[in-house]
């Protein structure tokens, strides 16, 4: 009888724990259904390309489908705000970037905090930017682009994936550092902007190499400068801005995997482990290399510190240029 009483007490305790801690009970079987991965930009850009490279290999590690959901607009802040407000259960993730978690929130006074409202799960990649023009453009160097901008009364039309994006802010830096005469034309992602660039509606654009590389390789776009500290292996013949005597415009964009804040520790552990394994996949690394990006090896803690530092760095840049809150 005593043993039966103990069994009953243990059973009652288990039922009570399940009732009081449903989140922990659910975490034990995570994931039990498909996961939505929000991309806060339109298809065709750097973040979208990275997410589509990561999605299949992450799905293999988790044993569940990973569904890409593009939620573009407002420099990436619409999709980011959606993730910030989502349930912290591990079924809504985001491939974020320098734009979503550093530049756009400071520029536009976004409705979310780019650090406090997310769980930083891990870094994915780092990608240099390039300045591109249409294949039929007469411009072949940054000096020629600068000259053309002053030859036109209205200047150049320069596109970007959105207001407050790193592409946009790089254009602003070029205006400050070199006197480039340009009007910023924001789009809902790099894809639509690149389409208009090839169609002649734009004169030039700063873009991540990952989204421009296929168009450069196919001859539809021409790269006239790279913004990184060194030339990318994908564009060994295209000089950096530094090589073209343009300084203090060394810019690269990071991507990382995020979830809403207060994600349960058990779910975090599962996602961090799956992400680290996915990032080592030859399939993923090959796609990353092909799009001009490089792996960004960091622990979860290191990445969280990096995200916080980048948010502070770009907030200071935006405030010092008087652009804060103008998005």
């Amino acid at each position: 009888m005593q043993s039966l009483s103990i069994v009953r007490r243990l059973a009652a305790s288990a039922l009570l724990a399940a009732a009081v801690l449903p989140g922990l009970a659910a975490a034990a079987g995570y994931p039990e259904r498909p996961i939505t991965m929000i991309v806060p930009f339109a298809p065709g850009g750097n973040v979208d390309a990275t997410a589509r490279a990561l999605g299949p290999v992450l799905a293999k590690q988790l044993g569940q489908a990973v569904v890409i959901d593009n939620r573009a607009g407002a420099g990436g802040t619409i999709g980011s705000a959606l993730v910030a407000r989502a349930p912290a259960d591990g079924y809504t993730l985001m491939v974020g970037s320098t734009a979503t978690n550093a530049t756009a929130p400071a520029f536009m006074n976004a409705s979310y905090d780019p650090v406090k409202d997310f769980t930083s799960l891990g870094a994915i990649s780092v990608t240099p930017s390039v300045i591109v023009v249409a294949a039929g453009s007469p411009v072949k160097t940054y000096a020629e682009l600068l000259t053309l901008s002053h030859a036109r009364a209205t200047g150049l039309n320069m596109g970007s994936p959105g207001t407050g994006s790193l592409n946009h802010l790089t254009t602003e830096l070029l205006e400050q550092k070199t006197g480039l005469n340009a009007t910023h034309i924001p789009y809902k992602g790099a894809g639509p902007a690149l389409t208009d660039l090839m169609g002649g509606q734009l004169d030039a654009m700063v873009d991540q190499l990952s989204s421009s590389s296929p168009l450069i390789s196919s001859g539809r776009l021409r790269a006239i400068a790279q913004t990184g500290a060194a030339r990318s292996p994908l564009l060994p013949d295209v000089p950096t801005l530094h090589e073209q005597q343009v300084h203090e415009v060394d810019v690269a964009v990071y991507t990382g995997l995020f979830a809403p804040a207060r994600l349960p520790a058990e779910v975090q552990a599962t996602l961090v482990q799956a992400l680290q394994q996915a990032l080592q996949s030859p399939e993923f690394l090959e796609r990353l290399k092909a799009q001009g990006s490089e792996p960004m090896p960091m622990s979860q803690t290191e990445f969280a510190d990096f995200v916080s530092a980048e948010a502070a760095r770009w907030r200071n840049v935006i405030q010092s240029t008087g652009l804060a809150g103008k998005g």
Side-chain angles (χ1 to χ4, degrees):
M1 294 295 292
Q2 185 177 4
S3 60
L4 181 59
S5 176
I6 292 174
V7 170
R8 286 173 176 168
R9 285 200 300 272
L10 289 173
S13 297
L15 288 172
L16 179 62
V20 174
L21 302 172
L24 294 181
Y30 174 85
E32 298 177 317
R33 63 178 190 271
I35 295 167
T36 298
M37 182 183 286
I38 299 291
V39 175
F41 301 99
N46 167 59
V47 180
D48 179 69
T50 301
R52 293 181 187 278
L54 176 65
V57 290
L58 188 63
K60 289 180 182 178
Q61 297 296 329
L62 293 170
Q64 289 287 350
V66 174
V67 180
I68 306 296
D69 186 0
N70 295 86
R71 297 296 184 99
T77 60
I78 290 177
S80 301
L82 178 67
V83 176
R85 296 192 300 265
D89 55 10
Y91 289 100
T92 302
L93 306 178
M94 176 179 81
V95 175
S97 67
T98 312
T100 59
N101 292 76
T103 59
F107 186 86
M108 307 187 73
N109 291 329
S111 63
Y112 61 89
D113 186 291
V115 176
K116 295 179 182 179
D117 287 343
F118 297 94
T119 299
S120 298
L121 296 169
I124 301 174
S125 67
V126 61
T127 309
S129 294
V130 288
I131 302 175
V132 287
V133 297
S137 170
V139 173
K140 294 182 172 61
T141 67
Y142 183 75
E144 292 178 358
L145 185 73
L146 188 60
T147 299
L148 181 62
S149 78
H150 290 288
R152 295 181 181 176
T154 57
L156 304 178
N157 287 329
M158 298 276 288
S160 86
T163 301
S165 65
L166 193 62
N167 313 56
H168 170 211
L169 293 177
T170 302
T171 302
E172 294 282 349
L173 281 175
L174 288 169
E175 291 181 34
Q176 290 181 13
K177 301 297 182 182
T178 70
L180 180 71
N181 182 20
T183 298
H184 171 236
I185 311 295
Y187 287 77
K188 292 183 178 180
L194 290 168
T195 298
D196 274 5
L197 177 60
M198 290 184 288
Q201 285 76 43
L202 295 174
D203 298 301
M205 178 175 169
V206 177
D207 188 42
Q208 275 71 60
L209 183 56
S210 53
S211 47
S212 286
S213 179
L215 302 174
I216 297 169
S217 299
S218 65
R220 286 177 284 178
L221 289 180
R222 178 189 303 125
I224 63 170
Q226 304 188 52
T227 67
R231 298 187 187 192
S232 166
L234 287 185
L235 296 176
D237 298 326
V238 178
T240 65
L241 282 171
H242 184 79
E243 290 176 288
Q244 298 184 59
Q245 306 308 308
V246 177
H247 306 294
E248 299 181 48
V249 194
D250 291 346
V251 177
V253 64
Y254 77 82
T255 62
L257 189 63
F258 297 87
R262 296 175 294 280
L263 192 67
E266 294 85 350
V267 176
Q268 281 195 54
T270 298
L271 286 168
V272 169
Q273 181 180 14
L275 175 63
Q276 292 302 321
Q277 291 174 340
L279 295 180
Q280 297 174 32
S281 161
E283 174 188 353
F284 172 76
L285 291 173
E286 189 61 33
R287 290 188 65 177
L288 207 62
K289 179 181 178 182
Q291 67 187 39
S293 302
E294 298 178 6
M296 194 175 175
M298 286 184 176
S299 68
Q300 183 185 16
T301 301
E302 289 171 337
F303 180 59
D305 291 341
F306 173 80
V307 169
S308 180
E310 281 290 282
R313 177 169 81 99
W314 284 103
R315 182 172 60 250
N316 291 337
V317 169
I318 290 167
Q319 289 175 346
S320 68
T321 56
L323 292 171
K326 292 187 177 181

